[in-house]
Amino acid sequence: MSIAARLSELGIELPDVAAPVAAYVPAIVHAGLVYTSGQLPFASGALPAIGKVGVEVTADDAKVYARTCALNALAAAAAAAGGLEKIGGVLRVGGFVASDPAFTGQPGVINGASDVLGEIFGDAGQHVRAAVGVAVLPLDSPVEVEVTFTLA
């Protein structure tokens, strides 16, 4: 099944590629891989929430935002690779969670990204991962996700 067909089956519509907020490109192809820059959970050009997970943002909401970040990464990767069907799978996910010092649920938050990539790519969506708590992220976003994709 094509990736586009799988997205349709899941009821997922990829967003437009988010414009960079600084001096970088959203994604780049190199040596058979597509590397994405860190993606924030932009939806319709805006962040759905700001603040620290465990204080202003719940872990459940942050998990949804991590999912959005992963979809933004897939959109950026597809644009860089020349189309969605050029993406073969997922190699690595790096997740960053702006966290209250007492919050320790970063892995559960980043599962939002991992889960949706697994739903889309099946076995080719299995990946290595980091889920890191940080003091603050750009624009006070609660989450940021970067993904390395393989080419088909």
Side-chain angles (χ1 to χ4, degrees):
M1 174 181 293
S2 74
I3 296 172
R6 181 65 180 144
L7 288 171
S8 178
E9 183 179 272
L10 293 168
I12 295 172
E13 185 173 327
L14 283 184
D16 292 333
V17 177
V21 298
Y24 61 88
V25 295
I28 193 164
V29 177
H30 177 73
L33 299 172
V34 184
Y35 299 88
T36 70
S37 294
Q39 300 292 312
L40 302 180
F42 284 117
S44 301
L47 290 175
I50 58 171
K52 306 293 177 281
V53 179
V55 181
E56 298 95 351
V57 178
T58 68
D60 287 341
D61 285 345
K63 183 176 180 179
V64 172
Y65 304 150
R67 179 185 189 277
T68 300
C69 291
L71 295 175
N72 287 342
L74 179 55
L84 193 54
E85 298 311 320
K86 303 274 179 136
I87 306 298
V90 182
L91 183 64
R92 181 183 184 280
V93 170
F96 304 91
V97 181
S99 307
D100 178 78
F103 182 76
T104 60
Q106 292 84 3
V109 168
I110 301 305
N111 278 349
S114 294
D115 290 348
V116 74
L117 293 169
E119 291 170 13
I120 294 167
F121 290 97
D123 288 345
Q126 294 182 4
H127 54 272
V128 298
R129 185 180 93 171
V132 180
V134 298
V136 68
L137 288 167
L139 306 178
D140 203 20
S141 176
V143 296
E144 181 174 358
V145 174
E146 61 183 19
V147 183
T148 303
F149 293 94
T150 59
L151 292 172

